[in-house]
Amino acid sequence: MDEVEVVVAHSERATVRVGDVFLKVDADQARIDVEVEAMSLAPVPTPKVLWHKPPALAITALPGTTLGRLGGPSTGSSAAWAAAGAAIRKLHDAPLPSWPGRADRSIAALAAELDDECELLVTNGLLPADLVTRNRRVAEAALRPWTPAFTHGDLQIAHVFVDGDEVTGVIDWSEAGQGDALYDLATFTLGHEEHLDDVLTGYGTDIDLDVIHAWWSLRSLLAVRWLAEHGFDPFAPGCEVDVLKSRM
């Protein structure tokens, strides 16, 4: 038996790996239920569910490697990034799930959350006011009507596995549901703007780049304080704060 590897752990959820099995424990049973249902519906490769007994879920490991991580070097060929874009498009074109996802927040609710978070970032001294103000202005482009799609909701590059130029699977579906397709595309390319063209080549349709940029700013603004409070470092090179600075 291999040693136990802690993949991620904080107050809301934890994931450990033992050999080829991942065990996920979540304080919110609904997230585990969504993950199981979304993986059964998604038209892209996903891990196999071994068993599901709240608050835990056991799934198999996926073959291949990820395209990188936020704040780390990106890997994979242009063709691999394009293949990921094609897989994302296949997901977005699939029949809608019956429930709203993380990418489905209303414009009004999202704007209110963003305004509150921007105020806290400044008053708590986490970020300078000019950085927050500029990115709040950029984020405005994301607050527009959109057509619902089947979205992953947390499509970080660390959640997409490839083997060569082929996508072998997508993990972590607990935020999936109906939502804004461009939220997924922006999440996937966050901090790796150099691969956006490759992803859009595979995705295969015209995209409003201002909205992608807006989601980069919006997602980063909403994430900085949470990350800092849960033991992560949004100030690390290439991470959320650098993404915000790139919009200046």
Side-chain angles (χ1 to χ4, degrees), residues 6-10 12-17 21-26 30-40 42 44-49 56-62 66 68-69 91 99 101-103 150-161 168-177 183-184 187-188 219 226 232:
V6 178
V7 179
V8 63
H10 50 75
E12 294 181 2
R13 67 188 83 173
T15 301
V16 299
R17 178 176 184 169
V21 176
F22 284 87
L23 182 64
K24 306 183 71 172
V25 181
D26 199 313
R31 282 195 295 249
I32 292 287
D33 293 341
V34 163
E35 181 151 13
V36 172
E37 181 69 9
M39 288 193 294
S40 73
V44 296
T46 63
K48 178 182 178 182
V49 175
L57 169 66
I59 57 176
T60 58
L62 289 172
T66 67
R69 289 185 179 274
L91 173 67
W99 65 92
R102 176 68 175 170
F150 189 159
T151 54
H152 179 279
D154 190 22
L155 198 62
Q156 305 172 45
I157 58 170
H159 293 164
V160 178
F161 284 71
T168 56
V170 182
I171 64 171
D172 284 3
W173 291 84
S174 62
E175 309 287 351
Y183 179 85
D184 271 355
T187 301
F188 185 65
R219 179 182 170 94
W226 186 94
F232 302 97

Side-chain angles (χ1 to χ4, degrees), residues 110 142 144 180 182-183 186 211-219:
L110 193 57
R144 88 284 177 222
D180 180 359
L182 298 196
Y183 179 85
V211 177
I212 297 291
H213 298 160
W215 274 121
W216 287 342
S217 290
L218 200 158
R219 179 182 170 94

Side-chain angles (χ1 to χ4, degrees), residues 81-173:
W81 284 86
I88 296 169
R89 178 61 184 272
K90 188 174 183 180
L91 173 67
H92 291 167
D93 285 345
L96 291 174
S98 60
W99 65 92
R102 176 68 175 170
D104 190 50
R105 287 166 290 178
S106 72
I107 295 172
L110 193 57
E113 180 183 357
L114 181 60
D115 288 341
D116 289 345
E117 194 62 34
C118 287
E119 182 178 355
L120 286 170
L121 288 171
V122 175
T123 57
N124 291 346
L126 278 171
L127 294 176
D130 61 340
L131 183 64
V132 172
T133 299
R134 168 58 180 161
N135 278 275
R136 174 62 181 86
R137 191 176 304 121
V138 172
E140 191 71 26
L143 305 176
R144 88 284 177 222
W146 40 267
T147 301
F150 189 159
T151 54
H152 179 279
D154 190 22
L155 198 62
Q156 305 172 45
I157 58 170
H159 293 164
V160 178
F161 284 71
V162 297
D163 186 1
D165 298 336
E166 178 183 356
V167 174
T168 56
V170 182
I171 64 171
D172 284 3
W173 291 84

Side-chain angles (χ1 to χ4, degrees), residues 188-243:
F188 185 65
T189 55
L190 184 76
H192 291 285
E193 185 171 355
E194 72 277 9
H195 288 294
L196 177 59
D197 286 345
D198 295 329
V199 172
L200 296 184
T201 295
Y203 195 76
T205 190
D206 290 335
I207 293 297
D208 188 337
L209 294 181
D210 286 343
V211 177
I212 297 291
H213 298 160
W215 274 121
W216 287 342
S217 290
L218 200 158
R219 179 182 170 94
S220 297
L221 286 169
L222 294 183
V224 167
R225 189 171 59 89
W226 186 94
L227 291 168
E229 291 175 353
H230 286 79
F232 302 97
D233 186 7
F235 293 88
C239 291
E240 284 80 4
V241 175
D242 276 355
V243 171

